[in-house]
Amino acid sequence: RWSSTFLYCFLSIRTSINAFLSVREQISKGIQRGGGSIQSAINDVEPYVGPVGSIEDTEGGIVVGDLSLQVSVAKSLVSKGRGLFLCIYDEEEDPESVVEEIRIPQGTPICGYARGYFSDKSDGDKSVVFMFEEHSANTTAVFYNQKLMTLGDALLANYKARSDEEQGKPLLLFGHHIEIDAENDVVTVKPDEEFSSRIFIPDAKEEEEFTAPALGVYANDLAYDPDSKEEQYFENSERNNILQLVWRLAKDEKTEMVVPTWPVVVVKQDVRLLNTVPMEVGLQYGFNYWDAVTKDGISKYVS
């Protein structure tokens, strides 16, 4: 169903919080940036131009009403499977209500990646590893209690919400070791090397495949070129891929453990859309991912 052709490669998420939070804070406070407002800053962004699809080819999707944004799935223009497309929602019944452009601030959620389960083995080309690098608590973005924040802030929020008796118990994060210095608000995160069931396997039911929680799994990597070296790949990705994954975390009420639910797809930069025709959007898979796939000789991109 997901055009699964890779044997063992999987996506990993490394999402910097700094730009996300700075943009959101400035928008909420109306702070000026670079001599102009946030609105004018986004106006200065070049409109997104990606592979152009067709409304007629759309298989399904959603409309994000607050943004007048259509998020849809159709045959990919860069791969043999499906792809994810964005455009301005064109309401045929009320042509006068169609907006001329959409401005999406960096860090804005677009849709979920997929519902699924965790395993110690990858399955297909859309698996995602749940693992935070050591010393990444203050630089990694997550969603917790419906807010975008650092991993460290999410763990501190969980810790401080405990009763005095509960705070004496160890703080648990799925697949990781945690140390908390509550007095100085310092959190140390380290992967548990003996823990293996950290690979998220998308497993949406057929009736859910075109719903908001499950659309992100269709996003392809628009940076891949079999002739590109590593530096060129990341340059292509910076230019062509506008999406990024961020983990959504929650507290397990039975175990008190902070656990991942599923990844969320956000825009990694300020985005302007002028198109009412769907354009395919991309997500960085990583050079190591493609290097391994190319060497293995198995890919939906490489013939």
Side-chain angles (χ1 to χ4, degrees), residues 20-125:
F20 288 175
L21 289 186
S22 64
V23 169
R24 289 200 157 210
E25 287 171 354
Q26 291 177 71
I27 290 173
S28 64
K29 297 176 182 177
I31 295 175
Q32 302 290 305
R33 180 175 69 178
S37 65
I38 290 296
Q39 187 68 54
S40 64
I42 297 180
N43 284 342
D44 291 339
V45 175
E46 289 294 322
Y48 175 73
V49 178
V52 180
S54 168
I55 292 290
E56 289 73 23
D57 293 334
T58 299
E59 297 184 43
I62 61 171
V63 174
V64 184
D66 292 345
L67 295 175
S68 296
L69 174 69
Q70 179 172 306
V71 186
S72 58
V73 175
K75 184 181 184 303
S76 175
L77 302 171
V78 301
S79 81
K80 296 178 182 178
R82 291 164 168 164
L84 190 68
F85 294 75
L86 299 182
C87 68
I88 296 172
Y89 177 56
D90 187 354
E91 189 172 0
E92 296 181 357
E93 297 178 357
D94 187 9
E96 295 183 0
S97 68
V98 177
V99 298
E100 294 184 356
E101 69 175 87
I102 298 173
R103 308 177 187 94
I104 310 175
Q106 188 178 43
T108 300
I110 299 298
C111 58
Y113 182 69
R115 300 293 175 91
Y117 61 93
F118 285 88
S119 173
D120 60 352
K121 296 179 181 179
S122 62
D123 181 11
D125 65 337

Side-chain angles (χ1 to χ4, degrees), residues 19 48 101 119-120 134 139 171 174 185 198 268 301:
Y48 175 73
E101 69 175 87
S119 173
D120 60 352
E134 194 170 354
T139 58
L171 180 62
F174 184 83
D185 287 348
R198 62 172 74 253
K268 70 174 186 178
Y301 288 79

Side-chain angles (χ1 to χ4, degrees), residues 3-284:
S3 302
S4 298
T5 54
F6 303 138
L7 296 180
Y8 61 87
C9 298
F10 36 81
L11 291 165
S12 62
I13 301 178
R14 293 186 179 94
T15 306
S16 171
I17 190 70
N18 297 330
F20 288 175
L21 289 186
S22 64
V23 169
R24 289 200 157 210
E25 287 171 354
Q26 291 177 71
I27 290 173
S28 64
K29 297 176 182 177
I31 295 175
Q32 302 290 305
R33 180 175 69 178
S37 65
I38 290 296
Q39 187 68 54
S40 64
I42 297 180
N43 284 342
D44 291 339
V45 175
E46 289 294 322
Y48 175 73
V49 178
V52 180
S54 168
I55 292 290
E56 289 73 23
D57 293 334
T58 299
E59 297 184 43
I62 61 171
V63 174
V64 184
D66 292 345
L67 295 175
S68 296
L69 174 69
Q70 179 172 306
V71 186
S72 58
V73 175
K75 184 181 184 303
S76 175
L77 302 171
V78 301
S79 81
K80 296 178 182 178
R82 291 164 168 164
L84 190 68
F85 294 75
L86 299 182
C87 68
I88 296 172
Y89 177 56
D90 187 354
E91 189 172 0
E92 296 181 357
E93 297 178 357
D94 187 9
E96 295 183 0
S97 68
V98 177
V99 298
E100 294 184 356
E101 69 175 87
I102 298 173
R103 308 177 187 94
I104 310 175
Q106 188 178 43
T108 300
I110 299 298
C111 58
Y113 182 69
R115 300 293 175 91
Y117 61 93
F118 285 88
S119 173
D120 60 352
K121 296 179 181 179
S122 62
D123 181 11
D125 65 337
K126 300 293 185 178
S127 303
V128 184
V129 179
F130 181 74
M131 185 167 64
F132 299 112
E133 296 179 353
E134 194 170 354
H135 308 303
S136 67
N138 293 326
T139 58
T140 300
V142 298
F143 282 101
Y144 185 71
N145 289 338
Q146 300 182 339
K147 295 180 180 179
L148 185 67
M149 63 182 71
T150 66
L151 172 62
D153 285 343
L155 295 173
L156 280 169
N158 173 271
Y159 181 81
K160 292 181 177 180
R162 295 177 168 193
S163 65
D164 291 341
E165 181 180 349
E166 290 173 329
Q167 286 186 3
K169 301 177 182 178
L171 180 62
L172 303 175
L173 172 64
F174 184 83
H176 296 77
H177 297 296
I178 305 297
E179 293 183 6
I180 294 280
D181 179 354
E183 292 184 2
N184 297 304
D185 287 348
V186 175
V187 179
T188 303
V189 177
K190 185 178 181 180
D192 182 350
E193 296 181 359
E194 296 182 1
F195 185 87
S196 59
S197 298
R198 62 172 74 253
I199 303 175
F200 178 81
I201 310 295
D203 188 36
K205 298 178 181 178
E206 186 174 352
E207 61 269 21
E208 298 176 346
E209 64 178 342
F210 297 136
T211 60
L215 291 176
V217 75
Y218 296 109
N220 293 301
D221 189 342
L222 303 190
Y224 177 71
D225 181 339
D227 297 323
S228 294
K229 302 299 182 183
E230 184 171 4
E231 182 178 354
Q232 183 61 50
Y233 167 79
F234 285 110
E235 290 178 0
N236 291 342
S237 183
E238 185 68 23
R239 181 173 58 252
N240 298 338
N241 290 321
I242 64 171
L243 304 179
Q244 196 154 358
L245 297 183
V246 176
W247 278 106
R248 178 182 180 273
L249 304 181
K251 184 179 78 170
D252 186 304
E253 296 298 335
K254 293 182 179 180
T255 65
E256 299 290 332
M257 178 182 290
V258 177
V259 297
T261 54
W262 57 80
V264 176
V265 177
V266 304
V267 292
K268 70 174 186 178
Q269 62 201 44
D270 293 342
V271 174
R272 288 180 67 205
L273 296 180
L274 303 181
N275 54 298
T276 54
V277 175
M279 289 185 180
E280 189 164 2
V281 289
L283 178 71
Q284 178 176 295

